[in-house]
Amino acid sequence: MIHMQLTEGQRKAIEAVNEFADKYFDEESIRQWCHSMGIPSYVYDAFYESPLGGYVLSKNAGGYDCPFLDRVTMLIEVTRRAGATLPFSSDMNSLAMFSTLRKLSQEEIVQEYAYTDGRIRFSQAFTEPNAGTDAQAVRAQISTDPDGIYLDGVKTFVSCGQFSPQTLVLARDPIYGQRDGGMSMWLVPINIEGVSTFPINTVGQEMLCPAAISFKHVKLKPSWQIQTEGKLNSMLKRQYGLGRILVCASSVGLALAAMDDAVAYAAEHEVKGRRLNSLPQIQEKLTDMEIKIRAMRMFVRDAAVAADERGSDFMLETALMKRFVPGAATEVASEALQIFGGVGYTDATRVSRIWQDCRGNQIAQGTDEVMAGIAAKGITQRAQSREF
Amino acid sequence: MIHMQLTEGQRKAIEAVNEFADKYFDEESIRQWCHSMGIPSYVYDAFYESPLGGYVLSKNAGGYDCPFLDRVTMLIEVTRRAGATLPFSSDMNSLAMFSTLRKLSQEEIVQEYAYTDGRIRFSQAFTEPNAGTDAQAVRAQISTDPDGIYLDGVKTFVSCGQFSPQTLVLARDPIYGQRDGGMSMWLVPINIEGVSTFPINTVGQEMLCPAAISFKHVKLKPSWQIQTEGKLNSMLKRQYGLGRILVCASSVGLALAAMDDAVAYAAEHEVKGRRLNSLPQIQEKLTDMEIKIRAMRMFVRDAAVAADERGSDFMLETALMKRFVPGAATEVASEALQIFGGVGYTDATRVSRIWQDCRGNQIAQGTDEVMAGIAAKGITQRAQSREF
Amino acid sequence: MIHMQLTEGQRKAIEAVNEFADKYFDEESIRQWCHSMGIPSYVYDAFYESPLGGYVLSKNAGGYDCPFLDRVTMLIEVTRRAGATLPFSSDMNSLAMFSTLRKLSQEEIVQEYAYTDGRIRFSQAFTEPNAGTDAQAVRAQISTDPDGIYLDGVKTFVSCGQFSPQTLVLARDPIYGQRDGGMSMWLVPINIEGVSTFPINTVGQEMLCPAAISFKHVKLKPSWQIQTEGKLNSMLKRQYGLGRILVCASSVGLALAAMDDAVAYAAEHEVKGRRLNSLPQIQEKLTDMEIKIRAMRMFVRDAAVAADERGSDFMLETALMKRFVPGAATEVASEALQIFGGVGYTDATRVSRIWQDCRGNQIAQGTDEVMAGIAAKGITQRAQSREF
Amino acid sequence: MIHMQLTEGQRKAIEAVNEFADKYFDEESIRQWCHSMGIPSYVYDAFYESPLGGYVLSKNAGGYDCPFLDRVTMLIEVTRRAGATLPFSSDMNSLAMFSTLRKLSQEEIVQEYAYTDGRIRFSQAFTEPNAGTDAQAVRAQISTDPDGIYLDGVKTFVSCGQFSPQTLVLARDPIYGQRDGGMSMWLVPINIEGVSTFPINTVGQEMLCPAAISFKHVKLKPSWQIQTEGKLNSMLKRQYGLGRILVCASSVGLALAAMDDAVAYAAEHEVKGRRLNSLPQIQEKLTDMEIKIRAMRMFVRDAAVAADERGSDFMLETALMKRFVPGAATEVASEALQIFGGVGYTDATRVSRIWQDCRGNQIAQGTDEVMAGIAAKGITQRAQSREF
């Protein structure tokens, strides 16, 4: 990125990250955190007590009143320094949900259940098997009988689903969801009867510890429903958009980490007496990686700015971003791995882990294939309005 | 591009282009101009008399005192409207040379020879067969004998080389080029003895009408030498950088034209009763074209801003841009052609011409391969300075 | 290809081509033939009188009784030597039609109208605007009134449509086409009332001189109908398959020509004192070109063998081939052009023409997009039959 | 592959694999074997006692007298059925070494040390850190003093390096390696003083359990030297070639497994009521995967046939194959993973493991980058000999 493109806010976010990372991050620890599928409490606490916490928390929970771009910049840089997908990206996603709710609906329920000390207390149970990020395909179902309200269904890829005391469930609901096209949202404790959680072993991104949650005839209290007041659709639209930006920010951070390592490795190692970074084949790799990274940053930045400016109408920007960024990040990581050679395929380097982490983001929050449908609509509309 | 990213200056440039193009451009005329390898005098005059001229001319020749980005924006948009490579891109390249000279050396000679009425009077004879844009590889040679100073050599891909009364020649020169590492530059009339010009038939970009120029024992006047005062190297560096930006701006304009046509075609045509833009395969194409175009624009904009801010030190930005943009433009044009199907392969559409024009820019002003060497150096240096 | 993979028949075909090409082909002539959109009569005659004619003509018209693979090999090699799309590929396509007819229906009509001296006398008018190679989308229409039978419609991309005395028209036909799902085929003279032909200017492949033909209330004689006897569908299926193989053979020949030129150029030219073929970037290009060419050959060979062995059931092989080969050929040609640098973008080399010719084959005989649908069906069926 | 292309020998190999796999392979076991980094003894024994053993063992050790292509076919199919990299690929590589030795040098030593019951008893210690598969870069060193012969150095990526009782070491050797350009080979027991082994944790391919082995002043017996008699160079050349073919065969098997799973998944699952394999985007993926797999098979087959026919002169075929196949296999696996969606990124499917296994083969036995140099030489030579 050329100098001018970093705002003062972004610079501050980067400095705060570097200060925190210098103190808490080293490769040995990161590897251990991946292995144990989570970061230790004291680091988690330190994060929220440090200036970084303010970029995760929403304003009314004590967070900064800053552009979304600053929050995104923090996530990019903290991921870059860790060289791994951090649970904070998932926290930010939940808090994005939270900010979405705040903007559009009532405060009390959220406040009561969601947090007390600024920590995330709920996971998001939106995705279902064979459904992906598509509200239309949701099959979890609310039903009533004289006894009460019941929830049945299965959710999957719920980040921290086993460890968050509540989970926010999206379900079909012909009764309470009438004003929202037959859908409703509920904040459900996971320690009640009928709720079971199962860990999911993914290829990478271990710190997100995703889970499947099944709900079998789970009795719900009416107060657990989130009052969406006919705005659920636009809330979800915005939430998916923000979620995509955060996933892509994480991808950019991972790609930057791979790039940092590859550039350093190519500057230090030789083959047959020639420094790696003087070989045309390595130079082409590094150049194409840099090209991809700059483009990735641009798409994330544009989408973040659009999210700030346009409520829930930034689908074109997020779809283009989501289609491009995660795949490009995997490519960058794969090239970095290749520059390392054999050792890149082992756990003696970060690049192998980064490559594995990157791959997951090509699926999370909507596949590349789904994005084309969304983007093409936006492209056609813009053409018809002859907008620049 | 998202709304916020267009400056006021850019908006004005776009409006000026649209006004001009509405008046002078139609596909029938453009095709005719390509066929006759040049635009008619009255259009050429109208262009320079219109507000657009101010974006081409340098400030002290009556042009605007505006950011380079505004000039670039004008070139993008005028190329987009024409759907063809216009000779103005070549004029701008020569005038960039002129502004480079002005900044760094004497004014008189340039003023005397270069223009009187704000028009470009000289072409640039830098490239040589088997040399490309590499000053090191120049073989044109200055020599002296008691009779005078002589120039021998062959230059190629000189835009408008047959029609400009003078040409600016870069040559090896052990005598007058001592302060500039053995190189010097001369403004040579093409109607003198020993100078011969030959047209080059290119695959596209006909309006640039490139020529080869051979110099056989051409006697030079001392006053024709451009006084570079030991700054030739940084002048050339800047000039190559500006030239690359202009070529890429032209590529972006061509890609936008292809995109405009493809989006319109896909919105209007059907296959088996389904509108083209509702087919997933077409949607993926349009989405990936849009992704490429946004990335292309970003690289050109970043390089243009860097050129304004950093004298001759914007090689990394231009190398990344030059490696990415022209190739991506050809891909966009090729996909547009594919969306049109059979008719896209004929002269009944603009996309076939655009595709042919685009290909040339992957070679002009330095190939993709050369750019990797330049960029890799910049990437490594930045890493060592731990710059963001 | 490794040595063992050429059959004796293929070797003979290659030798015959080389003998003919040594005598009649030189770049100056080829360029002239492209410019004048056809090869001179004496070369055309010499071709059919040489052993090469036997590979074009069907057996009962005096051609060889040889595997289709040998015919394909001849076409690959003759195209390779010319470095241009030759009209013989179009002749072979028509004769493939002819062999299809022979196999499946009556002989007399064909014999009477189609040829006397072994030369092709008819073009194929199958494709329509916005229809491509899809029989379902045909709109040309047969109708009757008390006066007679009439044909209305427009056909496009009819190779040699202006110069062949007859054209074979595929049309909707509720009357005479009852046994063939409402379609029929007619051999129509083009010099009769109501038939008009219009040349189409394509980006390349000039020697094919494609035309559009419009039929306005053209009165047909009953004897002009081709008796398809309920087998039109499988005839068309086979014909499209053969046509795709021939287009791909032409692509392979073009790619080989580009490769030959690029390898020779890289062996002869230097940049800064280093031979081009010793530079890693050029080595990677040449290697990837060779990889593509070998894969291309394999797909064409497999499809040609399948065509011989399986009647009309070789759709999977032709679809995979058609999706891969023409695009890969364009890439090979584009890389060859890049190796030549600036001169590759001019008419001083064959590679620029080859690149332009190649592009058309990505559309001809069914686009890449259409092929995926056909191939996926075959892939799924094979999996279900647990075939290897 | 079309039917005709399988020889009788290949068919038999495939049948033998299917019989064995039906009995011993199920996904639960395979996963367990990966986890425990090796297959259980009883399966290993059963393999060598089954007809499959004959494809691994060399002829004079009781193996079949069959074309190398049959052995390769067995490896492809057994890997396909397992959906994982099996240790037999490594055994075959060692036995290829063994067959290379047999062909070219003495038998006794090999027989004494290498096997008794037809099992592989030695690993290959060729690769070194920062050296890859390049004999020139070897630094392990033989030295002598009055006491005896000593070996110092470090080898890496030695498959089964911790479990094989001997390891075959390639070292610089100014004394005993005089006739072989200063290199020699030694079969060294790993349980003697000065030898230490360290496991390497790779991203995938766990059953190969690679190790690093360090040799610190290890005293060697003269009888451990392999008598190479001035033929070491051509032995190594052949050995690298065979090793590359085996790695690529493993890649093909992995890609086929991913394809099998993806085709089945797409035939069974639906999205919004539409079967996956009826969606154009999935159809394009499946088609392109099939195209890659057919090309991959062809390159492996051509190289295997060339290895049989040409002693040590099949570098061009193996270099083209090695550059293309492993990368294409990773792409196929990645697309299969994408078709599965979220579940593809978890250990609930084979495709995630296959994707991780595939990546390693892009580095093993020589990177894509190294192959270009080798291939380009072969391409240029062939052009100069005007061979077809």
Side-chain angles (χ1 to χ4, degrees), chain A residues 203-220:
Chain A
V203 167
Q205 307 190 345
E206 290 88 350
M207 285 189 251
L208 294 188
C209 39
I213 307 184
S214 90
F215 304 90
K216 286 195 187 145
H217 209 59
V218 173
K219 188 165 184 178
L220 305 178

Side-chain angles (χ1 to χ4, degrees), chain C residues 59-304:
Chain C
K59 190 189 155 194
N60 46 18
Y64 302 141
D65 182 15
C66 66
F68 190 52
L69 180 57
D70 293 0
R71 298 173 183 269
V72 162
T73 302
M74 189 285 291
L75 182 57
I76 290 175
E77 291 300 313
V78 79
T79 307
R80 176 189 197 167
R81 288 296 305 270
T85 306
L86 294 167
F88 308 119
S89 67
S90 170
D91 288 6
M92 288 179 85
N93 195 1
S94 292
L95 281 168
M97 185 68 228
F98 184 62
S99 85
T100 305
L101 290 175
R102 291 223 136 260
K103 227 175 211 167
L104 299 161
S105 75
Q106 37 55 291
E107 305 201 0
E108 324 72 44
I109 292 171
V110 174
Q111 265 179 343
E112 180 181 344
Y113 286 97
Y115 68 96
T116 50
D117 53 359
R119 292 288 193 77
I120 306 309
R121 286 285 171 81
F122 64 94
S123 59
Q124 286 185 65
F126 284 19
T127 304
E128 297 188 6
N130 294 321
T133 55
D134 179 5
Q136 304 301 321
V138 163
R139 297 186 183 187
Q141 181 79 38
I142 301 296
S143 58
T144 52
D145 68 16
D147 263 13
I149 314 166
Y150 294 93
L151 167 64
D152 284 273
V154 178
K155 297 288 180 177
T156 189
F157 290 103
V158 182
S159 290
C160 292
Q162 298 192 281
F163 308 115
S164 303
Q166 283 105 15
T167 190
L168 191 63
V169 180
L170 183 68
R172 300 213 156 275
D173 183 346
I175 305 132
Y176 305 97
Q178 282 181 343
R179 290 185 53 198
D180 279 305
M183 305 290 295
S184 62
M185 261 198 320
W186 302 75
L187 200 55
V188 183
I190 67 163
N191 65 347
I192 61 175
E193 204 179 325
V195 180
S196 317
T197 65
F198 311 89
I200 296 174
N201 293 318
T202 43
V203 167
Q205 309 190 342
E206 290 87 351
M207 285 190 251
L208 294 188
C209 39
I213 307 184
S214 89
F215 304 90
K216 286 196 187 145
H217 208 59
V218 174
K219 188 166 185 177
L220 305 178
K221 293 192 189 163
S223 67
W224 294 348
Q225 191 188 354
I226 303 295
Q227 300 305 320
T228 47
E229 299 161 3
K231 292 173 181 161
L232 180 58
N233 238 339
S234 61
M235 281 172 59
L236 286 176
K237 213 170 142 189
R238 180 170 171 82
Q239 179 63 7
Y240 287 138
L242 297 179
R244 282 163 193 160
I245 295 173
L246 293 169
V247 157
C248 289
S250 192
S251 286
V252 174
L254 292 169
L256 282 165
M259 182 79 187
D260 290 342
D261 290 6
V263 171
Y265 188 85
E268 287 159 16
H269 287 75
E270 296 189 347
V271 160
K272 299 196 200 180
R274 292 193 59 187
R275 203 154 290 260
L276 281 181
N277 66 13
S278 73
L279 301 173
Q281 292 169 318
I282 301 296
Q283 292 183 334
E284 291 205 316
K285 277 192 206 306
L286 292 175
T287 302
D288 291 339
M289 291 159 75
E290 177 76 11
I291 286 171
K292 278 175 188 149
I293 285 176
R294 290 192 180 214
M296 288 161 68
R297 273 184 191 268
M298 180 270 291
F299 281 109
V300 172
R301 186 194 57 211
D302 277 9

